[in-house]
Amino acid sequence: MRYLTKSKFNLSIECPTKLYYSSIIEYASLKESNEFLHALAEGGYQVAELAKCYYRDRDQDHDDLQGIDNEVALIKTSELLNKDSIIIFEAAIKYENLFLRADILVKRHNSIKLIEIKSKSYDISKPFIGKKGGIDSNWRPYLYDIAFQKYVLQKALPDKNIAAYLMLVDKSVICPTDGLNQKFKINKTESGGIKIIKSQNTTDEDLSVRLIKEFSVDDIIQKIFVDEKIYNGMSFDEFIKFISSFFSEDQKIPPILGSKCRDCEFKIVNEDQVIGLKSGFKECWREVAGFSEEDFKQPTVLDVWDLRSKDKLIPQGVYKMSQLTEEDINPAPDGDTGFSRRERQWIQIKKVKNNDDSVEMDKVGLQSEINNWVFPFHFIDFETTRVPIPFHKGHRPNHGIAFQFSHHILYENGVIEHAGQYINSQIGYHPNIDFVRELRKQLIVDNGTIFMYSNHENAFLNEICLEMLSSSEDISDKSDLLNFIKSITKSKNDSKEKWVGERCMVDLLEVVKRYYYDPLTNGSNSIKKVFPAILKRSEFLRKKYSRPIYGTVNGIKSLNFSNKAWLLEKDGIIVDPYSQLDPIFPDMNCSEDDLERLLDADQLKDGSGAMIAYARMQFTEMCDIERQAIVNALLRYCELDTLAMVMIVEAWLAILKKPNN
Ligand code: SF4
């Protein structure tokens, strides 16, 4: 029998049309093909294993049905539920065509505790309810998920009292032991699925503090059942019946287009990778917006940078960027130099409307910004991650880990060097202090301006600052490191202590947004889009980097490349430098573009290929050769990120004709 599972229900909450595409094998899906990467990014499997350990240790009888086929698990669950008292992991429950595997069921007499485990952190001071009294939108998908499970369980076992809980990472507690994280590993199966390597050796001390806790959600679920309108004015019950009937008849729920389509997993960017498969996205837009193949080549409202009115415009039939008017955007200045957000949006749209692919630049504004910068310029980029189960005793869950940086210098005479880098690949090692120590060593040699791309570096150094302040560890150079961090950062808005460092880092992303727009980026300000665009545009860069000068004794010093010409042409088209690198995951059918979109769509804000690679080195079993290949790939990616920043600035200096060029 085909079941409407909880993952299909969750997809239907995002968009009911996805239910059909996810059920028909001919539709390519970005998510399904990358289950393993997703598991690494979320850390959910490890959290679930740790949660089970808390229950396994109880006196109560327990049984784990993980890995058992659904039909067999249904029979087993029904047998186990005949016992008066039992804990079941991965219990199988069905009602008509609705089906679920519950993370944990705890049965005592006539009562059942239904527990759903998530790797998301819960802050007890901020309940699931938002400011206006409704459900907090960040929690809505998780609450709907457990509401679906309670709904099915109540229908399947109407004579039982069901109490529902979310089991979430508690950020307020401290990990009691070292190395707990390493006791939970996952591996990839040959088919790309996930194989969990169960921990056999957790100690009483490991489990003495619960890092994951149960939070009752019955009241909120009641609110969802009674008050919430899930889709087109339908109640929860009506919505389940609605999707269930379409599902059982293999019918597609008619699509309603909206901003959600931007990150739809059925929108396949690289169609070469899915030959023979269909694009659900195209089918929806053909059906509703009447799009032809030609229309798909044109920019849509989904592409307008940071446009927050998409869900108002799309239902009015405004699909293409060329349909937008000045009134839709209201491009007013905001009082600061350079382009305001709305002005920048209108620049993007106007260029599409006028078929104008020239760069828009506020040269006066950019020049006055550059006049504040001090040579030599330092360009840094961090790679970081968070893990729900800490590596070390004394750390809180989801503690930030800074595991890699790259550092380029551009001198006033135009000389460039890849001056330094840091990477930790040691399993279970907490690198933050070494990371800052090495960064300080490389940056205190002069007083030049330091550049980052986005506020990420500032935010992470703030976090490490707090970590050191609360640490009881004996760090001999603690005050030097703290002073260094404060000298190059500004404090976070919610920080008790306020500061702006005398050498505070410049955010190049903000400079791009305020002063520079290139239509080749199609509205994206990601360095992965801005850099290849500027490389194509700049005569200076094209001339300089078409020669193999990168990684040479008399050219540009590099730590990971030799004799490299970055400006390569294939069939008359300039090859994106990022695509010239070896993939971080050669065994996976996933481009960096796909990976970023996949992670963005799931609000994993720190998501990046590097983060996943780090997780893979820490949480999966691999040999030294595989590990070294990942380290080499990471070093090259990070070096290219800081080189990209150098080249963006070089191109601007050339345009503005600074004397050093
Ligand atoms: S393209 Fe839009 S309407 Fe179609 S399935 Fe994806 S999100 Fe839903």
Side-chain angles (χ1 to χ4, degrees):
M1 182 165 176
R2 251 170 22 99
Y3 293 120
L4 201 163
T5 59
K6 71 171 175 177
S7 57
K8 288 206 186 296
F9 168 81
N10 291 337
L11 265 189
S12 310
I13 288 289
E14 290 169 20
C15 170
T17 312
K18 289 184 181 180
L19 183 60
Y20 178 76
Y21 298 141
S22 70
S23 308
I24 311 273
I25 200 154
E26 290 99 71
Y27 290 94
S29 164
L30 193 52
K31 259 186 194 163
E32 274 161 32
S33 60
N34 293 295
E35 193 193 353
F36 180 64
L37 292 181
H38 218 251
L40 282 173
E42 285 186 322
Y45 282 84
Q46 289 100 325
V47 169
E49 271 308 299
L50 175 61
K52 286 177 183 177
C53 290
Y54 296 144
Y55 288 88
R56 276 194 203 112
D57 263 33
R58 292 186 175 180
D59 297 336
Q60 205 173 344
D61 204 4
H62 58 79
D63 214 320
D64 193 343
L65 307 185
Q66 190 173 50
I68 295 177
D69 167 80
N70 286 343
E71 296 302 326
V72 179
L74 275 169
I75 297 166
K76 274 281 253 176
T77 302
S78 157
E79 284 167 12
L80 289 167
L81 285 175
N82 284 329
K83 294 187 177 188
D84 186 53
S85 175
I86 181 78
I87 297 174
I88 314 172
F89 305 123
E90 294 291 325
I93 304 287
K94 75 163 181 168
Y95 171 71
E96 296 177 346
N97 67 344
L98 308 177
F99 178 89
L100 63 94
R101 298 295 292 261
D103 287 341
I104 303 175
L105 284 190
V106 182
K107 186 191 174 214
R108 264 180 211 277
H109 317 306
N110 206 38
S111 298
I112 293 181
K113 264 173 101 169
L114 163 69
I115 301 164
E116 168 71 11
I117 306 162
K118 297 286 180 202
S119 54
K120 193 171 160 67
S121 313
Y122 182 67
D123 182 348
I124 202 129
S125 64
K126 294 178 194 157
F128 301 109
I129 301 296
K131 283 183 191 140
K132 292 180 184 163
I135 292 175
D136 183 334
S137 59
N138 292 317
W139 283 104
R140 187 169 266 121
Y142 304 94
L143 292 165
Y144 281 9
D145 178 334
I146 183 80
F148 172 78
Q149 295 185 53
K150 184 168 179 179
Y151 178 94
V152 177
L153 210 55
Q154 274 178 339
K155 296 275 184 195
L157 304 168
D159 58 329
K160 300 282 182 287
N161 299 319
I162 315 285
Y165 294 82
L166 277 180
M167 199 166 183
L168 303 166
V169 174
D170 183 354
K171 273 178 84 173
S172 67
V173 296
I174 304 279
C175 184
T177 48
D178 277 318
L180 182 58
N181 183 294
Q182 291 303 307
K183 294 185 177 176
F184 302 93
K185 295 201 168 186
I186 61 174
N187 258 359
K188 188 162 69 86
T189 62
E190 275 176 20
S191 61
I194 295 147
K195 186 172 128 205
I196 299 166
I197 301 167
K198 289 186 186 169
S199 167
Q200 305 295 339
N201 54 352
T202 46
T203 63
D204 287 350
E205 208 191 343
D206 284 337
L207 307 178
S208 60
V209 176
R210 287 206 171 196
L211 305 178
I212 315 155
K213 287 196 183 128
E214 295 165 11
F215 296 93
S216 169
V217 286
D218 285 316
D219 290 350
I220 297 178
I221 290 178
Q222 192 54 26
K223 201 174 161 59
I224 291 170
F225 286 166
V226 177
D227 299 341
E228 289 272 298
K229 297 293 171 220
I230 310 299
Y231 176 74
N232 268 354
M234 290 176 207
S235 68
F236 198 81
D237 179 58
E238 287 165 342
F239 179 69
I240 291 185
K241 287 178 178 146
F242 171 73
I243 57 172
S244 169
S245 69
F246 273 86
F247 179 73
S248 55
E249 286 166 25
D250 251 340
Q251 293 291 310
K252 182 163 76 178
I253 295 170
I256 298 177
L257 307 184
S259 58
K260 62 187 176 176
C261 300
R262 198 184 80 116
D263 294 323
C264 177
E265 63 269 41
F266 299 102
K267 183 182 181 190
I268 303 302
V269 175
N270 189 352
E271 288 186 275
D272 294 348
Q273 286 182 353
V274 291
I275 293 164
L277 295 178
K278 293 185 194 169
S279 162
F281 174 86
K282 284 191 171 177
E283 208 166 292
C284 289
W285 281 67
R286 255 184 232 123
E287 210 172 304
V288 181
F291 265 36
S292 63
E293 267 320 297
E294 233 1 82
D295 292 324
F296 284 113
K297 291 178 189 152
Q298 294 176 34
T300 69
V301 290
L302 298 175
D303 300 312
V304 180
W305 170 65
D306 205 16
L307 182 64
R308 295 163 199 176
S309 54
K310 293 182 191 102
D311 286 323
K312 210 176 99 200
L313 294 161
I314 293 173
Q316 293 169 10
V318 181
Y319 304 117
K320 293 185 195 165
M321 217 186 279
S322 57
Q323 291 174 268
L324 287 162
T325 64
E326 198 164 344
E327 289 75 57
D328 293 326
I329 302 300
N330 184 19
D334 60 6
D336 278 342
T337 55
F339 315 133
S340 70
R341 185 175 68 84
R342 287 172 183 276
E343 282 176 323
R344 189 177 172 80
Q345 288 168 342
W346 185 237
I347 290 168
Q348 183 187 359
I349 296 160
K350 241 180 10 185
K351 290 200 174 277
V352 167
K353 280 164 129 14
N354 299 337
N355 223 357
D356 169 8
D357 83 339
S358 65
V359 166
E360 188 90 4
M361 198 170 175
D362 176 351
K363 288 187 185 170
V364 176
L366 181 60
Q367 183 62 68
S368 75
E369 181 76 31
I370 289 175
N371 291 343
N372 297 323
W373 300 347
V374 177
F375 279 109
F377 297 164
H378 298 262
F379 301 85
I380 58 169
D381 178 58
F382 295 177
E383 299 298 348
T384 61
T385 190
R386 293 177 193 285
V387 285
I389 306 174
F391 288 108
H392 286 282
K393 183 177 176 173
H395 287 175
R396 293 180 199 281
N398 282 331
H399 194 103
I401 295 167
F403 62 87
Q404 182 183 9
F405 74 77
S406 167
H407 171 208
H408 267 92
I409 301 179
L410 169 61
Y411 295 91
E412 190 161 12
N413 61 2
V415 169
I416 295 164
E417 63 167 328
H418 185 221
Q421 59 189 2
Y422 172 88
I423 190 164
N424 169 59
S425 61
Q426 204 180 321
I427 295 174
Y429 183 69
H430 185 60
N432 287 7
I433 305 300
D434 284 355
F435 176 98
V436 175
R437 198 171 277 138
E438 182 59 31
L439 188 71
R440 176 179 179 271
K441 195 174 103 192
Q442 293 186 23
L443 289 176
I444 59 166
V445 290
D446 56 52
N447 214 21
T449 301
I450 304 164
F451 298 87
M452 56 185 175
Y453 202 93
S454 92
N455 191 49
H456 180 66
E457 281 68 19
N458 188 75
F460 233 87
L461 285 173
N462 266 269
E463 203 170 321
I464 297 176
C465 183
L466 284 179
E467 176 187 327
M468 281 200 280
L469 286 171
S470 62
S471 170
S472 54
E473 207 183 317
D474 183 21
I475 307 166
S476 56
D477 50 354
K478 192 169 180 170
S479 66
D480 287 344
L481 298 181
L482 287 171
N483 288 338
F484 163 69
I485 290 179
K486 288 183 182 171
S487 74
I488 69 165
T489 58
K490 61 175 175 241
S491 56
K492 287 171 77 178
N493 291 341
D494 59 357
S495 169
K496 279 187 200 143
E497 186 192 346
K498 302 283 177 206
W499 73 84
V500 178
E502 63 273 14
R503 202 183 162 197
C504 193
M505 291 180 284
V506 171
D507 184 352
L508 215 46
L509 170 63
E510 287 305 313
V511 183
V512 168
K513 283 191 204 165
R514 295 302 304 189
Y515 304 112
Y516 188 83
Y517 177 69
D518 186 337
L520 294 179
T521 62
N522 197 22
S524 167
N525 297 314
S526 154
I527 197 158
K528 306 272 187 309
K529 298 287 178 224
V530 174
F531 168 47
I534 211 163
L535 190 58
K536 282 176 200 167
R537 293 283 183 191
S538 163
E539 213 174 300
F540 170 83
L541 294 181
R542 286 210 313 274
K543 217 164 138 191
K544 179 171 176 181
Y545 291 97
S546 58
R547 290 172 290 132
I549 55 163
Y550 195 73
T552 56
V553 179
N554 297 320
I556 299 172
K557 187 188 141 201
S558 162
L559 296 170
N560 304 295
F561 296 91
S562 54
N563 304 316
K564 176 82 185 139
W566 284 107
L567 209 288
L568 295 181
E569 286 195 37
K570 196 174 170 197
D571 304 329
I573 297 169
I574 293 172
V575 182
D576 181 338
Y578 285 100
S579 71
Q580 296 174 33
L581 300 181
D582 291 336
I584 300 179
F585 307 114
D587 58 337
M588 300 209 183
N589 187 19
C590 188
S591 70
E592 275 284 300
D593 250 9
D594 286 347
L595 195 59
E596 279 193 13
R597 207 153 57 83
L598 174 78
L599 296 171
D600 277 355
D602 284 353
Q603 289 122 22
L604 296 166
K605 296 295 180 206
D606 286 340
S608 73
M611 181 189 98
I612 307 243
Y614 191 72
R616 207 167 171 193
M617 287 195 289
Q618 296 287 339
F619 313 139
T620 70
E621 293 190 333
M622 62 173 59
C623 68
D624 288 348
I625 296 172
E626 282 176 294
R627 190 177 309 280
Q628 195 53 51
I630 290 184
V631 167
N632 292 344
L634 285 178
L635 289 172
R636 286 168 172 239
Y637 266 93
C638 203
E639 178 170 348
L640 183 55
D641 278 338
T642 46
L643 176 64
M645 292 160 74
V646 173
M647 286 205 215
I648 290 169
V649 170
E650 274 193 294
W652 286 345
L653 293 175
I655 294 168
L656 298 173
K657 298 198 187 318
K658 278 275 276 191
N660 66 308
N661 290 314

